[in-house]
Short mmCIF file of all heavy atoms in Angstrom, two decimals:
data_model
loop_
_atom_site.label_atom_id
_atom_site.label_comp_id
_atom_site.label_asym_id
_atom_site.label_seq_id
_atom_site.Cartn_x
_atom_site.Cartn_y
_atom_site.Cartn_z
N ALA C 115 14.83 24.88 -31.32
CA ALA C 115 13.75 23.89 -31.40
C ALA C 115 12.51 24.37 -30.67
O ALA C 115 11.38 24.20 -31.14
CB ALA C 115 14.22 22.55 -30.84
N ARG C 116 12.70 24.98 -29.51
CA ARG C 116 11.56 25.48 -28.74
C ARG C 116 10.82 26.60 -29.48
O ARG C 116 9.61 26.74 -29.35
CB ARG C 116 12.03 25.99 -27.38
CG ARG C 116 12.22 24.88 -26.34
CD ARG C 116 12.58 25.46 -25.01
NE ARG C 116 12.51 24.45 -23.97
CZ ARG C 116 13.29 24.43 -22.90
NH1 ARG C 116 14.21 25.37 -22.77
NH2 ARG C 116 13.15 23.51 -21.98
N GLU C 117 11.56 27.37 -30.24
CA GLU C 117 10.94 28.47 -30.98
C GLU C 117 10.13 27.97 -32.17
O GLU C 117 9.16 28.61 -32.58
CB GLU C 117 12.02 29.44 -31.47
CG GLU C 117 12.69 30.22 -30.35
CD GLU C 117 13.86 31.05 -30.87
OE1 GLU C 117 14.11 31.00 -32.10
OE2 GLU C 117 14.52 31.72 -30.07
N HIS C 118 10.51 26.81 -32.72
CA HIS C 118 9.91 26.35 -33.97
C HIS C 118 9.11 25.06 -33.86
O HIS C 118 8.48 24.65 -34.83
CB HIS C 118 11.00 26.17 -35.04
CG HIS C 118 11.71 27.44 -35.38
ND1 HIS C 118 11.17 28.40 -36.20
CD2 HIS C 118 12.91 27.92 -34.97
CE1 HIS C 118 12.02 29.41 -36.32
NE2 HIS C 118 13.08 29.15 -35.58
N ILE C 119 9.14 24.40 -32.70
CA ILE C 119 8.38 23.15 -32.51
C ILE C 119 7.45 23.32 -31.32
O ILE C 119 7.90 23.60 -30.21
CB ILE C 119 9.31 21.95 -32.29
CG1 ILE C 119 10.23 21.76 -33.50
CG2 ILE C 119 8.51 20.68 -32.03
CD1 ILE C 119 11.26 20.67 -33.32
N LEU C 120 6.17 23.14 -31.56
CA LEU C 120 5.17 23.26 -30.50
C LEU C 120 4.39 21.96 -30.41
O LEU C 120 3.93 21.42 -31.42
CB LEU C 120 4.21 24.42 -30.80
CG LEU C 120 3.01 24.56 -29.87
CD1 LEU C 120 3.45 24.91 -28.46
CD2 LEU C 120 2.05 25.62 -30.40
N VAL C 121 4.25 21.43 -29.21
CA VAL C 121 3.46 20.23 -28.98
C VAL C 121 2.22 20.62 -28.18
O VAL C 121 2.32 20.99 -27.01
CB VAL C 121 4.26 19.15 -28.21
CG1 VAL C 121 3.40 17.92 -27.98
CG2 VAL C 121 5.51 18.80 -28.98
N ASP C 122 1.07 20.59 -28.83
CA ASP C 122 -0.19 20.95 -28.19
C ASP C 122 -0.95 19.67 -27.86
O ASP C 122 -1.48 19.01 -28.74
CB ASP C 122 -1.02 21.85 -29.12
CG ASP C 122 -2.30 22.35 -28.46
OD1 ASP C 122 -2.54 21.98 -27.30
OD2 ASP C 122 -3.05 23.09 -29.10
N THR C 123 -1.01 19.30 -26.58
CA THR C 123 -1.66 18.05 -26.18
C THR C 123 -3.11 18.24 -25.77
O THR C 123 -3.76 17.28 -25.36
CB THR C 123 -0.89 17.41 -25.00
OG1 THR C 123 -0.89 18.33 -23.90
CG2 THR C 123 0.54 17.10 -25.39
N SER C 124 -3.62 19.48 -25.85
CA SER C 124 -5.00 19.71 -25.46
C SER C 124 -5.95 19.29 -26.58
O SER C 124 -5.58 19.29 -27.76
CB SER C 124 -5.22 21.19 -25.13
OG SER C 124 -4.98 22.00 -26.27
N ALA C 125 -7.16 18.91 -26.21
CA ALA C 125 -8.15 18.52 -27.20
C ALA C 125 -8.73 19.75 -27.88
O ALA C 125 -8.72 20.86 -27.34
CB ALA C 125 -9.27 17.71 -26.53
N TRP C 126 -9.28 19.57 -29.10
CA TRP C 126 -9.89 20.68 -29.82
C TRP C 126 -11.09 21.20 -29.05
O TRP C 126 -11.89 20.44 -28.50
CB TRP C 126 -10.33 20.23 -31.20
CG TRP C 126 -9.20 19.98 -32.15
CD1 TRP C 126 -8.74 18.79 -32.61
CD2 TRP C 126 -8.36 20.97 -32.75
NE1 TRP C 126 -7.67 18.97 -33.44
CE2 TRP C 126 -7.41 20.29 -33.56
CE3 TRP C 126 -8.30 22.36 -32.68
CZ2 TRP C 126 -6.44 20.96 -34.29
CZ3 TRP C 126 -7.33 23.03 -33.42
CH2 TRP C 126 -6.42 22.33 -34.21
N CYS C 127 -11.24 22.51 -29.03
CA CYS C 127 -12.41 23.18 -28.42
C CYS C 127 -12.63 22.69 -26.99
O CYS C 127 -13.76 22.47 -26.56
CB CYS C 127 -13.67 22.93 -29.25
SG CYS C 127 -13.51 23.42 -30.98
N ASN C 128 -11.54 22.54 -26.26
CA ASN C 128 -11.66 22.04 -24.90
C ASN C 128 -10.89 22.98 -23.98
O ASN C 128 -9.77 22.72 -23.60
CB ASN C 128 -11.09 20.62 -24.81
CG ASN C 128 -11.38 19.99 -23.47
OD1 ASN C 128 -12.24 20.44 -22.73
ND2 ASN C 128 -10.64 18.94 -23.15
N ALA C 129 -11.55 24.09 -23.64
CA ALA C 129 -10.89 25.12 -22.83
C ALA C 129 -10.64 24.64 -21.42
O ALA C 129 -9.62 24.93 -20.81
CB ALA C 129 -11.72 26.40 -22.82
N THR C 130 -11.58 23.89 -20.85
CA THR C 130 -11.44 23.39 -19.49
C THR C 130 -11.69 21.90 -19.46
O THR C 130 -12.55 21.40 -20.18
CB THR C 130 -12.44 24.08 -18.54
OG1 THR C 130 -13.77 23.84 -19.00
CG2 THR C 130 -12.19 25.59 -18.49
N THR C 131 -10.96 21.20 -18.65
CA THR C 131 -11.15 19.77 -18.53
C THR C 131 -11.41 19.42 -17.07
O THR C 131 -10.83 20.02 -16.17
CB THR C 131 -9.90 19.00 -19.01
OG1 THR C 131 -8.76 19.45 -18.26
CG2 THR C 131 -9.65 19.25 -20.49
N GLU C 132 -12.27 18.46 -16.88
CA GLU C 132 -12.55 18.00 -15.52
C GLU C 132 -11.35 17.23 -14.98
O GLU C 132 -10.73 16.44 -15.70
CB GLU C 132 -13.79 17.10 -15.52
CG GLU C 132 -15.08 17.84 -15.87
CD GLU C 132 -15.43 18.90 -14.83
OE1 GLU C 132 -15.16 18.67 -13.64
OE2 GLU C 132 -15.94 19.96 -15.21
N PRO C 133 -10.98 17.47 -13.73
CA PRO C 133 -9.85 16.74 -13.17
C PRO C 133 -10.14 15.26 -13.05
O PRO C 133 -11.25 14.85 -12.74
CB PRO C 133 -9.68 17.38 -11.78
CG PRO C 133 -11.02 17.95 -11.46
CD PRO C 133 -11.61 18.37 -12.78
N THR C 134 -9.16 14.43 -13.34
CA THR C 134 -9.32 12.98 -13.22
C THR C 134 -8.73 12.54 -11.89
O THR C 134 -8.11 13.31 -11.17
CB THR C 134 -8.62 12.26 -14.36
OG1 THR C 134 -7.20 12.45 -14.22
CG2 THR C 134 -9.08 12.78 -15.71
N HIS C 135 -8.90 11.27 -11.59
CA HIS C 135 -8.39 10.72 -10.34
C HIS C 135 -7.04 10.04 -10.52
O HIS C 135 -6.55 9.41 -9.58
CB HIS C 135 -9.40 9.72 -9.77
CG HIS C 135 -10.75 10.32 -9.50
ND1 HIS C 135 -10.95 11.34 -8.60
CD2 HIS C 135 -11.97 10.05 -10.03
CE1 HIS C 135 -12.23 11.67 -8.57
NE2 HIS C 135 -12.86 10.91 -9.44
N LEU C 136 -6.45 10.16 -11.70
CA LEU C 136 -5.21 9.44 -11.97
C LEU C 136 -4.09 9.88 -11.03
O LEU C 136 -3.34 9.05 -10.52
CB LEU C 136 -4.79 9.64 -13.43
CG LEU C 136 -3.50 8.92 -13.85
CD1 LEU C 136 -3.62 7.41 -13.62
CD2 LEU C 136 -3.18 9.21 -15.30
N GLU C 137 -3.97 11.18 -10.80
CA GLU C 137 -2.91 11.67 -9.93
C GLU C 137 -3.06 11.12 -8.51
O GLU C 137 -2.10 10.70 -7.88
CB GLU C 137 -2.96 13.20 -9.90
CG GLU C 137 -1.82 13.86 -10.65
CD GLU C 137 -1.80 15.34 -10.40
OE1 GLU C 137 -2.60 16.05 -11.02
OE2 GLU C 137 -0.99 15.78 -9.56
N THR C 138 -4.30 11.14 -8.01
CA THR C 138 -4.56 10.64 -6.66
C THR C 138 -4.23 9.15 -6.56
O THR C 138 -3.61 8.69 -5.60
CB THR C 138 -6.03 10.88 -6.28
OG1 THR C 138 -6.34 12.26 -6.43
CG2 THR C 138 -6.30 10.44 -4.86
N VAL C 139 -4.65 8.40 -7.57
CA VAL C 139 -4.40 6.96 -7.59
C VAL C 139 -2.90 6.70 -7.67
O VAL C 139 -2.35 5.83 -6.97
CB VAL C 139 -5.13 6.31 -8.78
CG1 VAL C 139 -4.69 4.86 -8.95
CG2 VAL C 139 -6.64 6.38 -8.58
#
Side-chain angles (χ1 to χ4, degrees):
R116 278 184 169 148
E117 291 174 0
H118 298 282
I119 300 175
L120 173 65
V121 179
D122 184 359
T123 60
S124 62
W126 288 108
C127 304
N128 189 18
T130 59
T131 57
E132 293 296 325
T134 67
H135 301 298
L136 181 58
E137 253 189 280
T138 305
V139 171

